Amino acid sequence: MFYSSKLFPSVVLLALCASVESIAQNSEKTQVLDEVVVSTNKYPQKQSQSGKVVTIIDAATIQRSKGKTVGELLNQQVGLTVIGSQNTLGTNQDLYLRGAGAGYTLILVDGLPVYDPSGSSTSFDINLIAIDQIERIEILKGGQSSLYGSDAVAGVINIITTKNSGKKLGLSGSLAGGSYDTYRASVNAGGQYKKTTYGLSWNGTKSNGISAAKQPETAKTPYDNDGFKQNNFQVKLGQQVGENLTLRADLMSNYYKTDLDAGSFKDEKDYTFENKNLLWSVGGAYQLKNGKLTVNFQQTNGQRVYVDDSAHVEAGAFAKYSYGYYRGVARFAEAYYAHTFSDKIKWVLGVENRWQNTDQTYLSISSYGPYESPAIKASTANTSLFSGYTSLNLQDFNGFGLELGGRYNNHSIYGNNFTYNVNPFYWVGARLKVLATYSSSYKAPSLYQLFSPYGNEALKPEVGKTGEIGAQFFSKNHQSYIRGVYFNSNIKDVIAYISINQDPWGRYVNLSQQKDHGFEVDAQWGIGKAQVKANYTFVDGEVTTQVAGKDTTYANLFRRPKHTVNVNVAYQILRNWSAQLALRSVSKASSGPYDDAKVILGNYTTLDFYTEYQINSTIKLFFDLKNLTDKEFSDVPGYNSRRRNFMAGAVFSIH
């Protein structure tokens, strides 16, 4: 699909602009509303009242995605690439927002940060989240550390889980099956009794999968399939105390186990990975005359276990047995006050504290005997991070709006740093919004980078500066739009691993500088019974690092395509029957520095088909056919992607 990397972005932009302008003049039937978001300023706010770049995945879209995973759904959004989302279930999901590396996007669950303190990058594993337990997703682009702290360098993804029905009792669920002996079931129950709300949900998935590793022609025996099992539980309680005070308590238990292979092109018969995550939180909100005080506390306990108990001979594995145990605990506490001076002036003031620790052990046994790496203990591998922040939001001063924000941070190891955000926007008439942002952000060193055998307690935080400029053009009733944004990001003091000539032969240092830039265009509009959503992303980047004492600059967006297009066309065939086609096309990408195979990953285009039929007010049937042209492609050298596959099932809802 990509015939010219230089001409293609301009062609896409001009085509989308012409399409939306024509449709805005001739059709006003689509029902895309000015949605309210909570991620932009920590209080409900219409998108028209904010200059930030936000993408909303609404409840209707998620209901039409029952056959997908969270990674597959995010992979279709503008500015996002999720490597591994189209491989066998349980594959590691590397999330790249606007080209930034894994770990530079902060994941929130119901507005509270989640991450893995035991990981080298602390990024949260989105395999843990079941799509059946999600109500909507808000994707907030650009440096967002002023409101959300560490890791919000490229942006924030707020996963909002299903809420109570508001009635005495509501019951819903789904049952589905499909390719690779994949089966999925979910049940959600909840409601309200007097001033108490409650909710309970469960999701289970099982799949025989496909081989994660691609089988070379020289392999003597067929590679086995890598299976996947998952269970998710969630409990929600809420209590209204008097007229002004609301209390809540939430519990999420997420678990999955998957088979692994030995590496690219290398099979493994008895290598497994288990990931357990227990998240609980309590909080309350007190409504005052002109504002609201919110208090939250959350704890996350994570545990990852890798076991290889009989290394497969054909894979050529060095170790006959290996065991890795990684446990992390993260605690988060915050209190913030949102004050309304008037309809045009709002202000947020808050404080938060993050504590985290980790325990890690690794043992392997080979023909040379056992090897045990130095253990990492929670008693020494722990940090705290205190922050105070504020944000002032000015709206509709003759079409002009502005957000100003800042955050002071105090880390128990590296000390202090400060971030800021300046975000003006201006309405030109009633249909064109022009926006700009200049912000700083940061990512604190991980516990592994600080306290592992290769750790360095002298590490500084990675500091990013991001600039954005863009415009959004609406139809007359603001139900169709096109938005274009140019972005430029510069991350300094990037933490890198280098080799040294003494034990332990390697160390983490602040060495590099990462620069990314690009632009994204997204649009949605309605034509009669059809609704069209389309987006295009261009991203490029380079890193400057020291080699032999000299600065060296090279392109480094490994595995990330420069050009990505997504087009989704939905059509209401009958009142109770609809269908949609989704096209995704990506350009070539280079393999990473640690990939076993140094190749250029080819460009490819896939096409998905989805249809659903509402039998009655209670039961809906769906059929989701992915990669219907049976395209063979790879996002990671030496690993398989899923060929033509499907999920089909039923969804029920009783209120």
Side-chain angles (χ1 to χ4, degrees):
M1 182 172 179
F2 292 92
Y3 302 105
S4 171
S5 61
K6 294 182 179 180
L7 292 177
F8 188 79
S10 301
V11 172
V12 171
L13 181 58
L14 289 172
L16 287 176
C17 288
S19 298
V20 172
E21 177 64 21
S22 174
I23 292 162
Q25 293 174 355
N26 298 303
S27 176
E28 301 292 351
K29 296 182 180 181
T30 181
Q31 295 299 314
V32 180
L33 303 177
D34 185 10
E35 294 185 85
V36 174
V37 295
V38 296
S39 303
T40 52
N41 285 294
K42 293 203 169 188
Y43 53 79
Q45 183 181 40
K46 290 184 178 181
Q47 291 195 67
S48 61
Q49 299 171 337
S50 173
K52 292 185 176 179
V53 181
V54 185
T55 298
I56 304 296
I57 307 176
D58 59 18
T61 301
I62 291 173
Q63 286 298 315
R64 294 192 298 267
S65 305
K66 292 295 186 180
K68 296 180 174 60
T69 64
V70 177
E72 287 178 289
L73 182 58
L74 292 175
N75 200 40
Q76 297 176 339
Q77 310 309 310
V78 62
L80 266 169
T81 298
V82 184
I83 301 299
S85 63
Q86 299 172 99
N87 295 7
T88 192
L89 295 181
T91 299
N92 185 56
Q93 309 281 285
D94 287 331
L95 193 154
Y96 302 115
L97 180 57
R98 289 180 168 178
Y104 290 111
T105 301
L106 179 64
I107 304 296
L108 309 176
V109 173
D110 294 327
L112 303 181
V114 290
Y115 47 92
D116 182 2
S118 70
S120 59
S121 71
T122 71
S123 57
F124 183 76
D125 185 357
I126 59 175
N127 279 318
L128 289 163
I129 303 295
I131 201 165
D132 293 298
Q133 294 178 325
I134 298 175
E135 181 174 288
R136 64 189 261 126
I137 299 175
E138 299 175 355
I139 304 169
L140 184 58
K141 311 287 183 62
Q144 303 298 332
S145 288
S146 291
L147 269 183
Y148 290 104
S150 180
D151 298 6
V153 177
V156 169
I157 298 177
N158 187 12
I159 299 173
I160 300 170
T161 59
T162 51
K163 293 182 174 59
N164 305 316
S165 65
K167 299 182 179 181
K168 284 188 176 181
L169 177 63
L171 184 65
S172 63
S174 64
L175 185 64
S179 302
Y180 319 122
D181 293 324
T182 301
Y183 302 96
R184 181 182 297 161
S186 68
V187 178
N188 298 276
Q192 182 171 344
Y193 178 74
K194 295 184 178 180
K195 294 186 177 182
T196 303
T197 59
Y198 55 92
L200 176 67
S201 65
W202 167 81
N203 174 85
T205 302
K206 181 181 182 300
S207 177
N208 286 343
I210 60 175
S211 173
K214 193 176 184 65
Q215 181 172 329
E217 296 180 359
T218 56
K220 297 179 181 179
T221 57
Y223 284 6
D224 66 333
N225 295 330
D226 295 310
F228 175 82
K229 295 179 181 178
Q230 182 179 43
N231 275 288
N232 303 80
F233 294 92
Q234 181 174 292
V235 180
K236 287 191 169 189
L237 294 172
Q239 181 67 46
Q240 185 74 35
V241 182
E243 295 183 359
N244 298 326
L245 179 61
T246 303
L247 302 177
R248 62 158 194 88
D250 298 337
L251 174 70
M252 291 183 67
S253 175
N254 304 311
Y255 166 84
Y256 75 87
K257 181 178 182 179
T258 187
D259 297 328
L260 300 177
D261 280 332
S264 63
F265 299 109
K266 296 179 181 179
D267 192 24
E268 179 56 81
K269 305 296 185 185
D270 297 290
Y271 192 11
T272 61
F273 168 56
E274 287 185 283
N275 198 347
K276 300 178 182 179
N277 185 271
L278 179 66
L279 184 155
W280 64 269
S281 67
V282 293
Y286 188 80
Q287 186 69 52
L288 299 167
K289 181 180 179 180
N290 294 314
K292 180 189 287 188
L293 175 65
T294 302
V295 178
N296 291 305
F297 177 83
Q298 176 175 277
Q299 178 166 313
T300 305
N301 294 70
Q303 177 180 297
R304 297 181 292 123
V305 178
Y306 297 81
V307 179
D308 188 357
D309 59 4
S310 59
H312 184 45
V313 175
E314 190 174 44
F318 174 76
K320 298 179 180 179
Y321 170 86
S322 66
Y323 173 85
Y325 172 84
Y326 307 87
R327 185 192 67 86
V329 177
R331 299 182 181 92
F332 173 81
E334 71 170 353
Y336 64 90
Y337 173 67
H339 185 82
T340 301
F341 289 101
S342 68
D343 292 340
K344 296 183 177 182
I345 304 175
K346 296 183 179 181
W347 175 56
V348 174
L349 178 68
V351 293
E352 71 172 50
N353 204 68
R354 303 186 189 187
W355 304 265
Q356 54 181 329
N357 64 64
T358 184
D359 287 291
Q360 302 184 19
T361 59
Y362 176 80
L363 170 68
S364 66
I365 300 175
S366 70
S367 55
Y368 296 96
Y371 167 78
E372 186 170 4
S373 66
I376 302 174
K377 297 295 184 181
S379 57
T380 55
N382 61 80
T383 60
S384 64
L385 175 58
F386 172 81
S387 301
Y389 59 90
T390 188
S391 176
L392 180 65
N393 194 349
L394 309 177
Q395 301 172 11
D396 197 20
F397 285 84
N398 295 321
F400 177 77
L402 174 67
E403 181 190 335
L404 298 172
R407 170 181 287 247
Y408 165 80
N409 309 283
N410 180 264
H411 191 274
S412 58
I413 301 296
Y414 71 70
N416 305 323
N417 67 302
F418 180 80
T419 62
Y420 56 86
N421 175 69
V422 181
N423 176 212
F425 65 97
Y426 182 71
W427 279 95
V428 182
R431 298 174 61 184
L432 178 63
K433 181 171 70 171
V434 180
L435 59 92
T437 302
Y438 188 72
S439 63
S440 65
S441 55
Y442 77 105
K443 179 176 176 59
S446 69
L447 295 176
Y448 189 84
Q449 292 167 342
L450 290 169
F451 301 109
S452 73
Y454 316 105
N456 179 4
E457 293 188 39
L459 288 173
K460 298 180 292 185
E462 301 175 80
V463 177
K465 292 186 179 180
T466 302
E468 295 175 308
I469 186 168
Q472 188 167 5
F473 178 77
F474 293 86
S475 60
K476 290 181 181 179
N477 60 2
H478 285 208
Q479 294 177 345
S480 301
Y481 75 85
I482 180 170
R483 176 175 57 190
V485 180
Y486 171 80
F487 54 88
N488 189 298
S489 176
N490 186 1
I491 306 174
K492 295 184 178 181
D493 294 325
V494 173
I495 296 174
Y497 176 84
I498 62 169
S499 299
I500 57 177
N501 58 4
Q502 61 185 25
D503 188 48
W505 315 109
R507 196 182 192 195
Y508 285 103
V509 296
N510 294 103
L511 182 68
S512 306
Q513 177 174 292
Q514 174 72 45
K515 293 183 178 180
D516 301 322
H517 70 276
F519 65 88
E520 57 189 36
V521 182
D522 67 304
Q524 55 186 24
W525 62 92
I527 311 173
K529 294 183 179 181
Q531 185 177 33
V532 181
K533 295 183 179 180
N535 63 67
Y536 166 74
T537 305
F538 166 78
V539 63
D540 198 4
E542 62 184 25
V543 65
T544 300
T545 189
Q546 284 195 353
V547 178
K550 297 181 180 180
D551 284 347
T552 301
T553 299
Y554 56 91
N556 75 319
L557 295 191
F558 307 119
R559 303 182 184 173
R560 283 155 275 183
K562 285 187 177 182
H563 308 280
T564 305
V565 170
N566 291 285
V567 180
N568 185 294
V569 181
Y571 188 79
Q572 195 70 36
I573 303 171
L574 298 172
R575 182 180 59 85
N576 55 350
W577 182 24
S578 64
Q580 68 181 29
L581 283 172
L583 178 144
R584 177 174 174 80
S585 186
V586 304
S587 64
K588 296 178 181 180
S590 60
S591 56
Y594 302 109
D595 289 333
D596 291 342
K598 306 301 180 184
V599 298
I600 298 297
L601 299 168
N603 59 287
Y604 63 88
T605 299
T606 60
L607 189 64
D608 300 341
F609 171 77
Y610 173 87
T611 186
E612 64 181 31
Y613 184 82
Q614 191 79 42
I615 295 178
N616 52 41
S617 60
T618 301
I619 300 176
K620 177 179 71 178
L621 303 179
F622 74 88
F623 178 75
D624 194 356
L625 178 61
K626 290 170 281 191
N627 193 8
L628 61 86
T629 62
D630 202 30
K631 178 69 176 179
E632 182 178 3
F633 64 94
S634 181
D635 287 329
V636 183
Y639 288 88
N640 285 313
S641 61
R642 281 171 283 168
R643 303 290 290 271
R644 184 187 297 117
N645 65 98
F646 77 93
M647 286 289 289
V651 179
F652 71 90
S653 178
I654 303 172
H655 296 289

